[in-house]
Amino acid sequence: MKKTVAEIKDRDIVEAVFLVKEKIVAMAKNGKPYLTLKLMDKTGEVDAKVWDNADQVGSLFDRNDFLAVKGKASVYLGKMQLIVSELKRVPEESVHLADFLPETESDIQAMLAELHALVESLTDTDLARLLRSFFEDPELLAQYSTAPAAKGMHHVYLGGLLEHSLAVAKLVDAMVPLYQGLNRDLLVTGALLHDIGKVREMTYLRCFDYSDEGKLLGHITIGVEMLQERITQLPGFPVELAMLLKHMILSHHGQYEYGSPKRPKTLEATILNYLDDLDSKINGIRTHIRKEPDNPSRWTSYHRLYDRYFFKEKPLAEPGGGEHAEGPEGLADCLEPSELMPETVPAPAPAPQASEPARPAQEKPRQEPRGGDQGRKSFSNNPFAVLKK
């Protein structure tokens, strides 16, 4: 029967049209190729396997195509997957694109009203006219209210950029009364513009991906360029104010290894870094928890980028029924990799002979920093950590 991803249950027979987000040819242990797919619609994503005639079937479609799929659902390692028995490519003109891309649960028009209210609340006339130059541009506003905020980490849905930017601005307004001397107008402007480059960094008419410009430059560089383009159209815009805004965009990821060309060196830039990171992580964790409605464990699966499992706070089992306590196997699934230690600790290696000079410890190879949100893995996002060394 026809189902959305969110409606699929264990052992269901599924017949529906999905968008192909990922397509990988893999090799089974017996040397036989198979296809592993990630299929999606606006309600979510589901893994799928094609075990038979993988080469022939794989030649019928590509990533970003639409497929009419028939298969059986099953839960494997706590995650739903489809075992595909039939599939057929569906022409784009026969589908409605909005049915296949996730979108914000918030009302776009209500969020746009909040955006314009924030602009009108500014008392700094230069910052107000700068924001109007951005958000009174119909084409840019349409992109800003449609784009996702990232490809995989947080707010990965249409409208995610607008939702995330407003959330950071609201955090600004919650924080400003707590500390004297903060420049509220500068912080609100930074909150609304810090990710503006994502309207050009991301592609989002099919699966969310990075544009060529996004891969080559990244949203931080693009954002500074967009800011400078607007400022040159505003006669008399203060040079130092422009510099402070550019610094906030350049430093909002906090650390070089997280893709920031600069580290925060003003109070407002530091605050923006932490508030941006806070909202991103809250949304990312909530999204990770919601991805596994069929996982009976109180713990999520391992989150590779956050390097941990998350406790889902499901209700404890009532005495005499409900969820049973997890045995050794279930416990192993919830332990951090560092906790899966052998019971017997090996004896230390013998010390080198006196006649043999001690070898210096081998240095770990330096890892290249990764740009974008994909590099913002650690929760220890401290702009001043380097000062402690």
Side-chain angles (χ1 to χ4, degrees):
M1 61 181 296
K2 293 183 178 180
K3 287 181 178 289
T4 64
V5 169
E7 293 171 335
I8 296 174
K9 302 298 181 185
D10 191 23
R11 301 184 181 182
D12 278 351
I13 301 299
V14 177
E15 293 184 54
V17 177
F18 300 105
L19 175 61
V20 181
K21 181 178 181 180
E22 293 179 9
K23 172 190 173 185
I24 300 171
V25 179
M27 197 69 66
K29 292 181 180 179
N30 61 6
K32 185 179 178 181
Y34 67 95
L35 289 175
T36 180
L37 310 175
K38 190 176 290 292
L39 306 176
M40 66 180 291
D41 61 21
K42 69 183 300 179
T43 69
E45 303 171 0
V46 62
D47 293 333
K49 296 288 190 294
V50 179
W51 294 109
D52 298 322
N53 303 316
D55 291 332
Q56 180 182 353
V57 173
S59 67
L60 301 176
F61 67 95
D62 292 309
R63 181 175 176 269
N64 282 334
D65 280 345
F66 296 94
L67 292 182
V69 172
K70 181 177 181 179
K72 184 175 182 179
S74 63
V75 176
Y76 178 69
L77 296 179
K79 293 184 67 176
M80 188 66 69
Q81 69 172 7
L82 294 180
I83 306 302
V84 177
S85 56
E86 298 177 26
L87 58 80
K88 180 176 68 173
R89 187 174 177 273
V90 176
E92 179 180 338
E93 54 269 20
S94 66
V95 302
H96 186 45
L97 285 173
D99 292 336
F100 296 90
L101 295 175
E103 59 184 352
T104 176
E105 296 178 358
S106 302
D107 182 85
I108 293 291
Q109 293 306 314
M111 289 196 293
L112 286 174
E114 288 184 58
L115 174 67
H116 292 303
L118 278 169
V119 175
E120 295 306 314
S121 72
L122 300 188
T123 58
D124 187 306
T125 56
D126 291 308
L127 292 176
R129 65 187 178 125
L130 173 66
L131 289 182
R132 291 191 189 101
S133 75
F134 275 101
F135 301 130
E136 290 180 359
D137 179 335
E139 182 179 356
L140 178 73
L141 185 61
Q143 295 170 335
Y144 188 78
S145 58
T146 303
K151 180 183 175 183
M153 282 291 290
H154 66 96
H155 298 86
V156 189
Y157 40 77
L158 298 178
L161 175 59
L162 174 59
E163 181 181 304
H164 168 59
S165 301
L166 284 176
V168 177
K170 291 176 184 176
L171 288 171
V172 165
D173 274 341
M175 183 176 182
V176 165
L178 304 177
Y179 298 91
Q180 291 184 351
L182 296 182
N183 188 331
R184 186 257 181 187
D185 286 6
L186 184 61
L187 275 167
V188 168
T189 304
L192 297 179
L193 296 182
H194 75 283
D195 275 345
I196 193 71
K198 289 184 177 180
V199 302
R200 285 164 34 187
E201 179 189 44
M202 305 286 296
T203 60
Y204 38 89
L205 296 180
R206 287 290 190 89
C207 297
F208 300 150
D209 206 343
Y210 294 106
S211 64
D212 292 341
E213 185 181 18
K215 291 177 181 178
L216 292 172
L217 301 181
H219 73 279
I220 291 179
T221 301
I222 296 170
V224 173
E225 288 182 349
M226 293 176 68
L227 178 62
Q228 181 60 33
E229 290 167 3
R230 298 284 168 170
I231 287 175
T232 57
Q233 299 171 15
L234 300 174
F237 195 91
V239 174
E240 184 164 308
L241 186 58
M243 178 177 63
L244 292 174
L245 267 177
K246 291 175 185 177
H247 175 68
M248 293 176 79
I249 294 177
L250 288 168
S251 65
H252 78 267
H253 278 192
Q255 295 285 350
Y256 301 136
E257 59 264 37
Y258 301 147
S260 264
K262 303 298 292 184
R263 291 177 297 171
K265 295 183 176 68
T266 67
L267 189 56
E268 283 75 17
T270 303
I271 292 170
L272 177 63
N273 164 224
Y274 279 115
L275 297 186
D276 171 46
D277 193 56
L278 174 64
D279 183 63
S280 301
K281 285 192 167 68
I282 289 174
N283 182 270
I285 295 167
R286 283 179 166 172
T287 299
H288 184 62
I289 291 172
R290 290 170 183 164
K291 277 183 177 180
E292 304 173 352
D294 301 292
N295 183 356
S297 172
R298 300 185 74 196
W299 291 86
T300 67
S301 60
Y302 178 71
H303 196 299
R304 181 176 59 86
L305 292 171
Y306 287 151
D307 192 25
R308 69 199 65 193
Y309 302 86
F310 287 99
F311 187 55
K312 295 191 289 188
E313 302 184 51
K314 294 175 69 174
L316 289 168
E318 295 182 6
E323 264 186 62
H324 60 275
E326 295 184 355
E329 291 185 9
L331 179 61
D333 288 339
C334 294
L335 291 176
E336 302 284 344
S338 60
E339 296 174 46
L340 301 176
M341 301 295 290
E343 294 183 5
T344 304
V345 179
Q353 300 293 327
S355 59
E356 181 181 349
R359 297 179 181 179
Q362 185 176 359
E363 292 186 1
K364 294 183 179 179
R366 182 178 182 270
Q367 295 182 348
E368 291 296 323
R370 295 179 295 171
D373 291 287
Q374 298 300 320
R376 305 180 72 184
K377 171 181 173 181
S378 172
F379 271 69
S380 303
N381 190 7
N382 181 0
F384 305 111
V386 68
L387 300 178
K388 299 178 181 178
K389 296 181 180 179

